[in-house]
Amino acid sequence: MQHFTDNKKELLNKFVKFVKNELGIKTVPSIKIQNHRDGLKTTANYDYTNENKIIKVCSKNRAIVDVCRSIAHEMVHHKQFEDGRLGTKPPDIGGEIEDEANAKAGQFIKMFARETPEIYDL
């Protein structure tokens, strides 16, 4: 996350806490913001198969609001894991698990933007 300004880092930390509280997550996985897609097929990934749960997000050429949406999406998957709903790898497109993560991520962005509108400007 060295490539982010202090304002962006502060906003990301605030957003993660917001989503954690909204979802009622027990423990937040490690979140790695990287300026490349190494190890990622898309823009983000949540590895729940590893003992050390980790979310990886590529931030290269992406607005901070989009990075936040990816973090929220993967945090929804983490909540699904905590709730015992990720027994097998879900499909990448469609299905209850993926649709829920997409919908909730969008909701969290809109909710967070009400109190932090600068999410669209950084």
Side-chain angles (χ1 to χ4, degrees), residues 28-48:
V28 176
S30 296
I31 299 174
K32 180 180 179 187
I33 308 295
Q34 52 193 52
N35 200 25
H36 50 76
R37 284 192 40 212
D38 290 351
L40 296 173
K41 292 180 182 174
T42 60
T43 55
N45 175 266
Y46 167 59
D47 186 356
Y48 62 92

Side-chain angles (χ1 to χ4, degrees), residues 1 6-7 14 19-20 22 29-30 39 42 47 52 58 75 92 98 114-115 119:
M1 206 161 49
D6 287 343
N7 285 348
K14 184 177 176 182
V19 174
K20 176 189 184 289
E22 286 296 318
S30 296
T42 60
D47 186 356
N52 299 319
C58 176
M75 286 180 71
D92 286 338
E98 196 64 15
R114 286 185 187 147
E115 59 188 62
I119 192 172

Side-chain angles (χ1 to χ4, degrees), residues 44-81:
N45 175 266
Y46 167 59
D47 186 356
Y48 62 92
T49 61
N50 193 328
E51 182 180 336
N52 299 319
K53 310 297 183 248
I54 186 166
I55 292 172
K56 292 181 182 177
V57 179
C58 176
S59 63
K60 185 176 183 179
N61 299 324
R62 298 177 72 199
I64 195 73
V65 67
D66 191 39
V67 171
C68 286
R69 191 209 54 78
S70 290
I71 290 170
H73 177 103
E74 302 306 334
M75 286 180 71
V76 171
H77 285 320
H78 180 68
K79 175 64 173 165
Q80 292 165 339
F81 174 80

